[in-house]
Amino acid sequence: MNEERFTGKAQLYAKYRPSYPDTLVDWIFAHTRAQTVADIGAGTGIFTKCLLKKPWQVTAVEPNADMLSELRQTVGDSVNIVKASAENTGLNPDSVDLITVAQAFHWFDKAKFQTECKRILHKNGKLAVIWNERLQSGIAETRNEICMKYCGNYHSGFVHTGYADFDGDTFLRNEYFRTVDFFSVKNPYFMTKEQFIGDNLSRSYALAESDAHYADFISELEAAFDTYCIDGVVEQSYLSTCYLGTF
């Protein structure tokens, strides 16, 4: 896992990334009835905060110092926070009923993470792999073109489970998990121009202010927003998905 990928982006991430629907958390709760949960790769705590809506004892694991600072502001003392990687959490063996990973699984060493999950999960414990996947629309396609133009680390075929030549759905269903349940729900997200720009700047591949073409990058994103906005907002909705599996 590249633990420094989001260094310098934590405040943007916390402020502008979308959250997750209550119905997704309700579904996980109904399918696990877990008591202890480890949210791994917790980032700034967007999904960790969602977990607090249920009577779970939650531990959040995150390796990046910037993200940890925002995480602490998000959840306060309501969560046990551990600075560690996904592949070596330091949690006790056989200590949790449920592991959640929201918007982070694609950064992990999947084999090492699976070994770690088996180590810390109770017997028949489950792993929930969760994403907000951007739904394609006019503004989404335009911002993809802008990112392709300016962001060297951006891949047009990238999906959260891998790349265009990697079928993440097949991997999770047929290779990674022994059994798996799946849930998806639309997650509407409406953004002002500030939110649209901030969301894009929070991405791992986004240009930094020090980059030579930063001003052009921002200018084209602003123009895209102006093209598609209605009454000062654009809809950039997501599909929130969860693979809930056992090993």
Side-chain angles (χ1 to χ4, degrees), residues 22-35 37 47 51 53-56 98 100 126 128 242 244:
D22 288 345
T23 50
L24 186 148
V25 180
D26 291 343
W27 181 84
I28 296 173
F29 183 77
H31 281 71
T32 62
R33 297 295 177 181
Q35 295 183 4
V37 183
F47 190 72
L51 291 171
K53 298 174 183 177
K54 300 298 181 184
W56 284 322
L98 171 66
T100 58
K126 296 184 178 183
C242 177
L244 181 65

Side-chain angles (χ1 to χ4, degrees), residues 47-242:
F47 190 72
T48 316
K49 186 176 180 179
C50 295
L51 291 171
L52 297 179
K53 298 174 183 177
K54 300 298 181 184
W56 284 322
Q57 179 182 336
V58 180
T59 296
V61 179
E62 170 58 41
N64 182 277
D66 283 359
M67 301 293 259
L68 276 171
S69 177
E70 294 296 328
L71 172 63
R72 292 188 177 98
Q73 292 186 48
T74 299
V75 299
D77 297 329
S78 55
V79 168
N80 178 37
I81 296 175
V82 176
K83 186 179 188 298
S85 70
E87 298 85 359
N88 186 20
T89 64
L91 301 183
N92 291 330
D94 190 32
S95 60
V96 295
D97 302 313
L98 171 66
I99 295 169
T100 58
V101 179
Q103 218 72 9
F105 180 75
H106 48 293
W107 302 122
F108 298 171
D109 181 312
K110 296 174 181 61
K112 291 180 179 179
F113 179 59
Q114 184 186 68
T115 299
E116 182 70 350
C117 288
K118 291 177 180 179
R119 187 185 71 82
I120 67 176
L121 279 172
H122 290 147
K123 183 180 179 180
N124 298 321
K126 296 184 178 183
L127 165 64
V129 179
I130 300 145
W131 285 290
N132 273 325
E133 294 283 359
R134 186 183 294 106
L135 293 174
Q136 291 307 303
S137 62
I139 193 167
E141 292 173 0
T142 300
R143 62 82 61 192
N144 291 348
E145 292 171 359
I146 295 168
C147 291
M148 280 288 292
K149 181 177 179 181
Y150 290 107
C151 305
N153 291 325
Y154 180 78
H155 301 270
S156 62
F158 180 81
V159 293
H160 279 120
T161 38
Y163 292 92
D165 60 349
F166 175 72
D167 186 342
D169 182 83
T170 297
F171 172 72
L172 289 170
R173 290 182 187 275
N174 300 330
E175 298 180 44
Y176 205 68
F177 288 125
R178 176 171 55 86
T179 65
V180 63
D181 293 304
F182 178 77
F183 178 84
S184 67
V185 62
K186 186 177 179 181
N187 186 11
Y189 191 45
F190 295 88
M191 294 183 283
T192 64
K193 182 181 286 188
E194 176 191 340
Q195 291 170 322
F196 177 71
I197 299 300
D199 176 86
N200 279 289
L201 289 177
S202 77
R203 304 292 161 172
S204 62
Y205 47 77
L207 296 188
E209 194 168 356
S210 58
D211 291 320
H213 297 289
Y214 177 82
D216 295 329
F217 177 57
I218 297 298
S219 178
E220 292 199 26
L221 287 173
E222 289 177 338
F225 180 92
D226 292 339
T227 298
Y228 292 100
C229 76
I230 299 175
D231 296 329
V233 298
V234 294
E235 179 181 1
Q236 176 52 87
S237 292
Y238 291 79
L239 187 69
S240 296
T241 62
C242 177

